[in-house]
Amino acid sequence: MDSTLPSGPAVRIEGLDKRYGSFHALRKVNLSVERGERIVICGPSGSGKSTLIRCINRLEEHEGGRITVLGTELNDDVGNIDGIRREVGMVFQHFNLFPHMTVLENCMIAPMIVRKRPRAEAETTARRFLAKVRIPEQAMKFPGQLSGGQQQRVAIARALCMQPQIMLFDEPTSALDPEMIAEVLDVMVTLAAEGMTMICVTHEMGFARRVADRVIFMDGGEIVEEAPPEEFFTSSRNERTRQFLSQVLGH
Amino acid sequence: MEMVVVAPPAPSRLEDLKRRFFATPLQALLSLISLTIMAFIVWKLLDWAVFSAVFTTTGGPEACQAAAGACWSVIAARWRIILFGLYPFEEQWRSALACVSVVVMTVLSCIPAFWTGRRIALIWGAGTGLYYVLMKGGVLGLPYVGEEAWGGLALTLFIFVTTCLIGFPLAICLALLRRSDLPWISRTTGLIIDGVRSLPLISILFTFAVVLPFALPQWLQGDKLYRVILGSALFFSAYQAEIVRGGMQGVPAGQEEAAMALGMSYWQRIGRIVLPQAMRNALPATINQFVISFKETSLVVIVGFFEILASGNAAYGTGEWRFAYVEVYAFIAFIYFIFVFSLSRYGAYLERRMAVGER
């Protein structure tokens, strides 16, 4: 990794507060993520987990508290926001691939127009990451011609082409048919093994057990519990956590 | 057990016709009656337009009027007025070349290979520049011809093309402003769009041509033609802005979020992600708007311009050809048809092209 990077945690969140009208989405959330750390965030719907990671790259604006990403504070400074977004990749529940571009163009556009890389270099990078997510042969197809699992892997490749330092995953497997979940999780496991800093909102508890350094349980806009996976799954202290776990692991 | 799939034999064309139109005696009778009526109409039309028609000017208007069919002689005698209006007779080749330059410019800018900012700007700059120099003259040894003498097809094309060239970018600006997060910007833009849309085009043209000069200082007025074009572009943009906005509403919010998450700036998101998809959604309505605008150019006659329809009026209005108005209007309708039909076919081509990659 680049030696000129500022030291300190990858993401530091202090006293984060967010409301939608009268709904209190996040209440004084504190979270620190080290470089290379893999975090899994889970919790019932409406608990604020998606809002939390969408605040990290400013898809949501926070109202109180401080967010520092890679040493830069997120505030109204557009330069800061753009700088952070270049270094933070994101994968969405509904893929959000650009339907009017081929798979290859989806992967090339941001490196070319945001990072100003030459076309040839962007294409080489794009093909390398498409090979990494195991769909190099789909490069010239349009997103609409691919299965959900393939689309999500393209979305991961698209984010990786910007060569980000942090990856955010917002329920990446929730919109997939069951038989396609594994192919996406496999890619995420490989990525984790390579030392990528990852923050994943997911209900895939097997994935959490296998790769997470810490599992975070949120409810009602608060972090209720955070622990390493073995401890989290076997001896969670909080009643709400145990209830949630019995629901997602029960079947 | 092995399954053998036998496809039913594809019905021949004749059998298909029989099945569709002659299944029962009553259906056969109705089919025959319809066919007879159609044949009769087609025969009558052909007889009028071709077999009994007069094509030459040798006999003059009298011989022509006596003929049973169409009198196309009026076109042969008067086509220069229809196409070029009041433009000086010896200089009409310039008007013809100017038409060609506008048509070539339009055709070139419809070809995807030219869709880069620089190429489009070059084509439009060269096309309109060439048109202006050819029509107006005063340079390169071309005698000066003022805008008030421009007319016919050349004027119709010029008004249409410049209306679109000015109106379309303006429409996109208005659509983006209406989408602004700042309420005072979006509300004001909404008010402007709705205001312009509530007025009839004729009143806008009249205001820009006749009323505006009283309100503007001399140096800002420009020729009446350019004020009329601005008015027409404003009208076009108000409608087109709503079409573009509708197209943008059809683009899922996730698209812009994904572009943001990749670090794209506002203009990159709009230019590369949102607008291309919005224009695909808005294409049918956009082509519709272009077609309407082409035909609405005929309204400039109200402020004293002789575009093609008004020139047609003048072509048969002079005594001797007064009886041949049907032929003149048929000819003008044919010219409108060529342009508008090409536009529609181009729209259909674009839709097919843009459908690539859709599920």
Side-chain angles (χ1 to χ4, degrees):
Chain A
M1 273 271 174
D2 200 335
S3 59
T4 60
L5 288 174
S7 55
V11 179
R12 188 202 297 274
I13 296 171
E14 295 158 295
L16 180 59
D17 226 56
K18 169 83 184 165
R19 289 167 188 274
Y20 296 105
S22 61
F23 180 67
H24 209 158
L26 294 173
R27 300 163 195 264
K28 301 269 173 267
V29 173
N30 294 302
L31 175 68
S32 185
V33 180
E34 297 303 317
R35 288 169 196 275
E37 204 179 4
R38 278 91 56 171
I39 306 283
V40 164
I41 304 176
C42 58
S45 72
S47 61
K49 50 198 192 310
S50 281
T51 308
L52 175 62
I53 73 162
R54 286 164 60 88
C55 281
I56 296 174
N57 63 354
R58 250 277 162 141
L59 290 186
E60 303 288 349
E61 214 168 305
H62 57 284
E63 283 137 20
R66 282 161 62 97
I67 304 177
T68 312
V69 182
L70 300 164
T72 308
E73 187 181 345
L74 259 184
N75 46 28
D76 288 332
D77 184 330
V78 179
N80 282 3
I81 296 173
D82 285 346
I84 287 169
R85 283 176 178 166
R86 278 196 289 273
E87 303 301 331
V88 179
M90 188 166 201
V91 175
F92 299 86
Q93 180 177 0
H94 296 288
F95 332 134
N96 298 357
L97 292 176
F98 305 132
H100 58 303
M101 301 180 187
T102 63
V103 163
L104 191 64
E105 287 165 346
N106 263 280
C107 295
M108 286 166 62
I109 183 161
M112 279 171 64
I113 68 175
V114 177
R115 288 219 191 265
K116 314 284 181 212
R117 295 278 185 264
R119 171 174 285 273
E121 186 192 323
E123 183 170 343
T124 315
T125 312
R127 289 198 186 272
R128 179 155 56 89
F129 282 111
L130 285 173
K132 190 185 171 77
V133 300
R134 295 192 278 281
I135 36 175
E137 71 286 355
Q138 313 283 11
M140 302 319 283
K141 286 194 183 166
F142 284 89
Q145 297 167 304
L146 305 183
S147 73
Q150 289 173 324
Q151 288 193 50
Q152 194 59 299
R153 284 184 285 151
V154 172
I156 295 174
R158 177 178 71 175
L160 291 176
C161 283
M162 282 293 281
Q163 314 206 299
Q165 302 184 41
I166 302 172
M167 285 286 282
L168 309 175
F169 291 85
D170 189 2
E171 305 207 26
T173 54
S174 302
L176 295 176
D177 291 334
E179 75 272 19
M180 292 171 185
I181 291 176
E183 62 191 58
V184 171
L185 290 180
D186 282 348
V187 170
M188 291 170 64
V189 169
T190 315
L191 208 56
E194 289 168 359
M196 174 66 78
T197 309
M198 292 166 67
I199 305 175
C200 315
V201 171
T202 182
H203 292 150
E204 295 297 329
M205 290 303 133
F207 173 79
R209 215 184 278 267
R210 209 166 137 200
V211 308
D213 296 309
R214 257 190 298 160
V215 181
I216 290 171
F217 175 71
M218 289 184 73
D219 193 16
E222 293 171 310
I223 293 183
V224 173
E225 185 153 3
E226 60 178 288
E230 320 82 67
E231 195 184 319
F232 182 83
F233 288 112
T234 52
S235 53
S236 45
R237 283 156 299 198
N238 190 289
E239 175 52 35
R240 281 189 282 177
T241 315
R242 282 200 295 273
Q243 193 191 345
F244 175 76
L245 282 177
S246 74
Q247 280 162 350
V248 292
L249 299 174
H251 307 285
Chain B
M1 209 174 89
E2 208 174 308
M3 255 194 13
V4 180
V5 181
V6 181
S12 73
R13 228 196 157 83
L14 197 70
E15 277 176 58
D16 191 48
L17 275 180
K18 212 160 138 190
R19 197 162 47 83
R20 279 169 193 271
F21 298 109
F22 297 95
T24 64
L26 179 66
Q27 208 181 3
L29 185 69
L30 285 175
S31 295
L32 281 176
I33 291 173
S34 317
L35 207 64
T36 319
I37 295 174
M38 277 193 286
F40 181 73
I41 292 173
V42 168
W43 165 253
K44 273 289 178 194
L45 260 178
L46 273 179
D47 182 51
W48 177 79
V50 183
F51 303 131
S52 310
V54 180
F55 290 92
T56 57
T57 45
T58 44
E62 296 75 23
C64 206
Q65 196 167 12
C71 169
W72 297 118
S73 321
V74 63
I75 309 300
R78 292 295 190 176
W79 64 274
R80 291 179 76 138
I81 289 186
I82 299 175
L83 293 185
F84 306 126
L86 302 174
Y87 207 78
F89 193 81
E90 301 75 34
E91 305 294 329
Q92 284 176 356
W93 60 273
R94 282 160 54 184
S95 190
L97 269 187
C99 284
V100 171
S101 94
V102 168
V103 170
V104 168
M105 167 182 97
T106 312
V107 169
L108 284 184
S109 57
C110 286
I111 298 172
F114 292 99
W115 291 349
T116 65
R118 188 177 302 172
R119 285 179 193 171
I120 282 286
L122 195 73
I123 291 170
W124 290 351
T128 46
L130 193 60
Y131 178 94
Y132 186 77
V133 169
L134 278 169
M135 289 298 282
K136 188 136 183 182
V139 288
L140 305 170
L142 300 172
Y144 174 87
V145 181
E147 280 88 352
E148 67 285 351
W150 299 6
L153 182 62
L155 187 65
T156 294
L157 289 178
F158 186 65
I159 293 174
F160 170 66
V161 166
T162 46
T163 294
C164 298
L165 287 190
I166 300 168
F168 204 88
L170 191 59
I172 290 174
C173 289
L174 287 175
L176 291 176
L177 287 174
R178 190 159 199 183
R179 246 174 51 116
S180 165
D181 293 332
L182 305 171
W184 63 274
I185 291 187
S186 56
R187 293 237 182 89
T188 314
T189 316
L191 216 61
I192 294 173
I193 292 175
D194 291 343
V196 173
R197 285 199 304 171
S198 324
L199 297 170
L201 177 55
I202 287 183
S203 71
I204 290 180
L205 293 181
F206 194 76
T207 307
F208 273 71
V210 181
V211 182
L212 215 54
F214 295 114
L216 288 179
Q218 189 72 40
W219 57 274
L220 243 178
Q221 286 181 13
D223 189 84
K224 185 169 77 175
L225 176 61
Y226 305 113
R227 292 201 307 272
V228 164
I229 287 172
L230 278 183
S232 148
L234 182 70
F235 190 75
F236 174 86
S237 68
Y239 279 87
Q240 183 61 27
E242 287 297 279
I243 294 174
V244 172
R245 189 172 70 97
M248 284 187 189
Q249 280 173 341
V251 179
Q255 290 292 310
E256 212 175 342
E257 281 182 359
M260 275 188 205
L262 287 165
M264 291 187 202
S265 68
Y266 174 80
W267 289 110
Q268 288 173 337
R269 298 195 303 263
I270 294 296
R272 303 298 194 106
I273 308 301
V274 178
L275 272 186
Q277 296 183 58
M279 289 320 297
R280 171 154 95 183
N281 298 342
L283 187 66
T286 301
I287 294 292
N288 206 19
Q289 192 59 36
F290 275 110
V291 166
I292 291 172
S293 300
F294 189 85
K295 292 191 281 194
E296 275 176 349
T297 54
S298 59
L299 291 179
V300 298
V301 70
I302 220 80
V303 289
F305 285 108
F306 282 82
E307 46 64 62
I308 190 161
L309 196 59
S311 304
N313 274 326
Y316 73 80
T318 54
E320 47 179 2
W321 294 105
R322 197 172 285 278
F323 64 91
Y325 57 91
V326 176
E327 289 81 351
V328 169
Y329 283 126
F331 180 68
I332 293 171
F334 180 66
I335 292 175
Y336 270 101
F337 180 82
I338 291 174
F339 283 98
V340 174
F341 193 70
S342 318
L343 207 57
S344 311
R345 295 323 301 164
Y346 177 66
Y349 156 77
L350 272 191
E351 266 186 66
R352 278 197 306 278
R353 184 189 142 88
M354 288 179 167
V356 171
E358 255 183 310
R359 204 185 267 270

